[in-house]
Structures are given as C-alpha cells and as structure tokens.
Amino acid sequence: MELNEKQIQILEVAEILFAENGFDGTSVRQIAKKADVNVAMISYYFGSKEKMLESLLNYRMADFKIQIETLISKEDSYLNKVDEIVEFIVKRVHKNRRTHKIINFEYSKNSLNINFEEYVAQKHGNYEVIEQFVKEGQGNGAFSKEVNIPLIVPTILGTYFHFYYNKKFYIALHNISDDVSLDEFVHHTLTKHIQQTIKALLTYAN
Amino acid sequence: MELNEKQIQILEVAEILFAENGFDGTSVRQIAKKADVNVAMISYYFGSKEKMLESLLNYRMADFKIQIETLISKEDSYLNKVDEIVEFIVKRVHKNRRTHKIINFEYSKNSLNINFEEYVAQKHGNYEVIEQFVKEGQGNGAFSKEVNIPLIVPTILGTYFHFYYNKKFYIALHNISDDVSLDEFVHHTLTKHIQQTIKALLTYAN
DNA sequence: ATATAAATCAAACAAACGTTTAATTTAAAC
DNA sequence: GTTTAAATTAAACGTTTGTTTGATTTATAT
C-alpha cells in the first residue's frame, strides 16, 4: 500500500485528532476541514473512516519495531544495556505517542472490527527480544531470577503512558511550562526514573 | 446529590458500556435498552449524557480516596508497609478499573467540558500521603534518596493499567482463561511484581 | 375518593454522522 | 489537440445521534 502526499497529509491530521478526541469523537468532516480537503476524499482514498485508521496504523507501524538487538549485542555491562534499552523504548514510544494512544484505546475495546494482528505480532516479537536478554543476564548472575519477565515491559510503557495520559496533572506537579520542556522532562527525568526502576527491579534480591 | 435505585441502575450499565466502548462510542439508546428504561429517562434524571457521566464519576469518586494513612501509621517495617500500600492501591484501582478507564480516556482529551477538579484534587491528596511516607523513610535511612517521588505512583498505576488495557495480549501470554483467574492474576502475580518493583526502586543505590 | 406530583412512554425533533452520487476540473498519455 | 484517467467538488443520501414534547400511567398525599 503506497500512499501519496495527499493521503499522508490526511493521515497526519487524523492522527492528531484521533489522539486528541478519540476515534469516535472525531468526525470525518473535522479531519477533512483541518487537512484542507473535501470530505469525499476520505472515502475516495481510504474507502471508509475505519479503513483510514487501519491505513494510519500500517503507516506508523514501521516505526514501532524496536531494533534493540544491536543494542544488546554491543560490548557493555548489563546495567548499561538496560539504560540504553529503556532510553530507546521511551524515545520510540514518545515519538509515536499519538498512534500508541489510539491503539491503546481502540485495542482495549471489544467492539471495533479493526485488525490489530500486526500490532500484537510486533508486541510478541519485542517481548521475545527482552525475554532473551533478561534470561541471559540471569544466567550470568547479573540479574535476579525472581523477576516476572512478561511484566517488565508493562512497567516501562505503563509508567510512560500513565504519565502521558495524566500529563495535565504531572505538568502542574513538576512545573513544566511548554511542549519543549515536556520533551526534555520525558527524555531526562522520566527516562532516568524508568531506568532506575528497571535496573533496581532486575538486581533486587528478596 | 442523592441517587435513587433507578438512577444507580442506569449508571452501572453506563459504566460498563462507557468502559467497553468509550463515552463517544456509547449511545444513550444502548444504555437505556440494557438498563431496561426509556431513553427519555436519561435526560429526565440527569439532564444530559455528559451530566450523566459526571454523576457516575461523583458516584464512584467516594471509593477513590485511598485511606492509607492507617496502613502507614501501623507498627511495621518500611518494606512491609510498601507491600501493603501497593496491595491496597492495586485492589482499589482494580475494583474501580472501569471508572478509572473512563476517566483516563476522557481526562486526556482537551475537548470535553467535564469537571475533573475533584479527581485532580484527590490525586493530589493521595500523592501527598505517599510523598510524606517516602520522605520519612528516606529520613530514617530505609529508602534511597535518589528516587523521583512524583513518579512512583505513575509506575504503580501505569503498570496496572498497561496490563489491563492490553489484557487481551497478556492473557494469551500468561495462559489466563477466565475472569476469575484474571482477578487472581492481578491480586497475586501482578501485585507481587509491582511490590517488588517499588521496593527495589526505593532501596536501589546508584 | 380526589388532587398533586413523579415516573414512564412512544413519537417527533433538529443536528450530525459516514458515505455516495454525479458533475466538473485537473493532469497524464498519446 | 484530443482522449482518457485521476482528482476534486457541492449536494444529497439514509442513519443515528442526543434531546424534547405531550400524553399517559403510577405513586403519594390529603
């Protein structure tokens, strides 16, 4: 599925509005108006509103695959690798936070007939890389064996997203003013907190 | 605002449907049908769909206040208190997961004109209790001073909610079959993971 | 038993929704 | 320059949306 300029222009507006007001909370007329195209173009290009969302997900999905194999295979200490992995994941997820938000909300519904197979497959793939890394570290005695490996990623992503979904609250709590300092906060303070958390968890002895 | 039986009956159906399909994805006719009342009753009792949501939030909000002061004041080690606090928070949030989900989704929008002041105020109150507890533990040398205190709660709640929102995925990963074993998983495995994480974080030395 | 209020209902309301149509303009190919 | 295809448009389509109306039933009070 190749997308032309106009289609991408529409999808990028749709992404913002879907993330802001939800899929059901956004009308095709809103999208068309903000993207400066006629309403009919959405049906013309994508077939339907739902298929447009699927196009958006496929368009962004390429960015989702976290290629941390290279980070893992580097010559470094296990704890430094944890730092790098966490930083990498947070960066990726923050960059694609809008699409992730849409997926999170729509995936947790049972109604919608949107195809999430690729998303789930990618989640599985990413999990397996993490699993292998942790198990290797456990074998080498670097990591504790008490860790619930499948719940490590939820802690990383969960911390990020709970912060992001409640950013209005935490912005006030941390005296963050604008978008720039939000980015800074995510890439420094929040990343550091998650790094600390995961390193602590992986080395914690009951 | 006192609610009669019928109103509560409506709100409880609304809560389920809002959590399942979102506020915008649920029509008042769906709610009325499932609650076995006439559509007009919603406007009659609550004034509007939005005001019905506000009624629901106020109705449930009473359950939100986490009274962990009693837990904290108990005679026990700091790490055991952490266990109890985490268990308490996860239990509360799991019990009210549907309303929390609705709030999470609607609060992160900028459009809706729903009053979240009470929710934010409660979040603040809960945070301050945690802050005081951690600072006390830091003073006594039980906890590390490197911790970002405002980000502790996001890690607890974030881990829970990321798991819950992606439960379809993690259910498959953990071979969880029905609702009972989901509850069991939350109250045992997931709770234990979060307890470990927070204890590790609070005692981690850089 | 009568009067007053609350609750319930089917029906109608206008507005907004996603989508389609049919005509027109723009671009590409020959 | 003519032909053919792609892109764009305004208007209309049938549904569904949240809400209101006005009549009717049920409950409460006197």
Side-chain angles (χ1 to χ4, degrees):
Chain A
M1 171 88 150
E2 316 119 43
L3 301 169
N4 62 40
E5 267 188 52
K6 212 116 224 185
Q7 286 174 297
I8 292 174
Q9 172 190 340
I10 295 171
L11 290 185
E12 280 175 349
V13 168
E15 183 187 42
I16 293 172
L17 292 179
F18 285 160
E20 235 164 42
N21 313 313
F23 180 76
D24 291 314
T26 307
S27 75
V28 290
R29 281 175 177 83
Q30 277 178 266
I31 298 168
K33 194 175 178 184
K34 199 167 181 186
D36 205 31
V37 297
N38 190 280
V39 215
M41 299 305 289
I42 286 168
S43 296
Y44 177 72
Y45 273 135
F46 303 105
S48 70
K49 189 189 175 187
E50 285 202 357
K51 281 182 190 159
M52 175 180 55
L53 176 55
E54 283 192 359
S55 286
L56 171 62
L57 300 189
N58 291 331
Y59 173 59
R60 288 285 188 232
M61 203 64 88
D63 283 356
F64 278 33
K65 210 176 289 174
I66 40 173
Q67 283 147 338
I68 46 184
E69 290 97 335
T70 50
L71 291 181
I72 289 173
S73 62
K74 271 176 57 182
E75 195 67 40
D76 209 337
S77 77
Y78 277 96
L79 288 183
N80 282 345
K81 281 181 185 174
V82 171
D83 276 347
E84 291 198 43
I85 291 170
V86 168
E87 187 188 349
F88 195 83
I89 292 177
V90 172
K91 261 203 186 119
R92 271 286 151 95
V93 107
H94 182 61
K95 186 182 157 208
N96 291 294
R97 60 193 179 277
R98 290 186 186 85
T99 298
H100 267 106
K101 184 177 177 182
I102 299 165
I103 290 178
N104 251 350
F105 287 14
E106 298 305 322
Y107 180 62
S108 66
K109 297 180 186 176
N110 49 10
S111 56
L112 229 53
N113 39 352
I114 285 171
N115 194 344
F116 287 107
E117 272 183 45
E118 213 180 322
Y119 166 70
V120 171
Q122 216 146 80
K123 242 178 132 52
H124 252 111
N126 293 341
Y127 165 67
E128 274 157 22
V129 176
I130 301 281
E131 186 188 31
Q132 204 195 324
F133 168 70
V134 174
K135 282 190 173 169
E136 198 191 301
Q138 287 175 329
N140 287 23
F143 295 150
S144 158
K145 288 181 178 170
E146 304 284 329
V147 187
N148 190 317
I149 303 178
L151 292 179
I152 294 175
V153 174
T155 292
I156 300 173
L157 297 184
T159 301
Y160 172 81
F161 280 116
H162 190 86
F163 168 81
Y164 177 56
Y165 294 154
N166 292 278
K167 68 174 172 188
K168 266 189 261 176
F169 177 79
Y170 293 109
I171 276 172
L173 207 63
H174 281 93
N175 291 319
I176 299 169
S177 51
D178 56 347
D179 280 359
V180 178
S181 55
L182 178 79
D183 282 2
E184 261 183 37
F185 183 85
V186 167
H187 291 130
H188 296 111
T189 313
L190 181 61
T191 295
K192 194 183 160 196
H193 165 78
I194 300 176
Q195 286 170 334
Q196 250 177 269
T197 304
I198 303 302
K199 280 187 292 183
L201 173 66
L202 285 171
T203 57
Y204 184 67
N206 284 51
Chain B
M1 170 89 151
E2 317 117 44
L3 302 169
N4 61 40
E5 267 188 52
K6 213 114 224 185
Q7 285 175 300
I8 292 174
Q9 173 189 338
I10 294 172
L11 289 185
E12 280 176 348
V13 168
E15 182 186 43
I16 292 171
L17 291 179
F18 285 160
E20 235 163 41
N21 313 313
F23 179 76
D24 292 312
T26 307
S27 74
V28 291
R29 281 175 178 80
Q30 277 179 267
I31 298 168
K33 194 174 178 183
K34 199 167 180 186
D36 204 32
V37 297
N38 191 280
V39 215
M41 299 306 290
I42 286 169
S43 295
Y44 177 71
Y45 274 134
F46 303 103
S48 71
K49 189 188 175 189
E50 285 201 358
K51 282 182 189 159
M52 176 180 56
L53 175 55
E54 283 192 357
S55 286
L56 171 62
L57 300 189
N58 290 332
Y59 173 58
R60 288 283 188 235
M61 203 64 88
D63 283 356
F64 278 33
K65 210 176 289 173
I66 39 173
Q67 282 146 337
I68 45 183
E69 290 98 334
T70 51
L71 292 181
I72 290 173
S73 62
K74 269 176 59 182
E75 196 66 40
D76 209 337
S77 76
Y78 277 97
L79 287 183
N80 283 345
K81 280 181 187 175
V82 171
D83 276 347
E84 290 196 44
I85 291 170
V86 168
E87 189 188 347
F88 195 83
I89 292 177
V90 172
K91 260 200 186 122
R92 271 285 152 94
V93 107
H94 182 60
K95 185 183 157 208
N96 291 294
R97 61 193 178 277
R98 290 186 185 84
T99 297
H100 267 106
K101 184 177 177 183
I102 299 166
I103 289 178
N104 250 349
F105 288 14
E106 298 305 323
Y107 181 62
S108 66
K109 298 180 184 177
N110 48 10
S111 56
L112 228 53
N113 38 353
I114 285 170
N115 194 345
F116 286 107
E117 271 184 45
E118 213 179 322
Y119 167 70
V120 171
Q122 215 146 82
K123 243 178 132 51
H124 252 110
N126 293 339
Y127 165 67
E128 274 157 21
V129 176
I130 300 282
E131 186 188 29
Q132 204 194 323
F133 168 70
V134 173
K135 282 190 173 169
E136 197 190 303
Q138 286 175 330
N140 287 22
F143 295 151
S144 158
K145 288 182 180 170
E146 304 285 329
V147 188
N148 189 318
I149 303 179
L151 292 180
I152 294 175
V153 174
T155 292
I156 300 173
L157 297 183
T159 301
Y160 171 82
F161 280 116
H162 190 86
F163 167 81
Y164 177 57
Y165 295 154
N166 291 279
K167 68 176 173 186
K168 267 191 260 176
F169 177 79
Y170 293 109
I171 275 172
L173 207 63
H174 281 95
N175 292 318
I176 299 169
S177 50
D178 55 348
D179 280 358
V180 179
S181 55
L182 178 79
D183 282 3
E184 262 182 34
F185 183 85
V186 168
H187 291 130
H188 296 111
T189 314
L190 181 61
T191 295
K192 194 183 159 195
H193 166 77
I194 300 175
Q195 287 170 333
Q196 250 177 268
T197 304
I198 303 302
K199 281 187 292 182
L201 173 65
L202 285 171
T203 57
Y204 185 67
N206 283 51

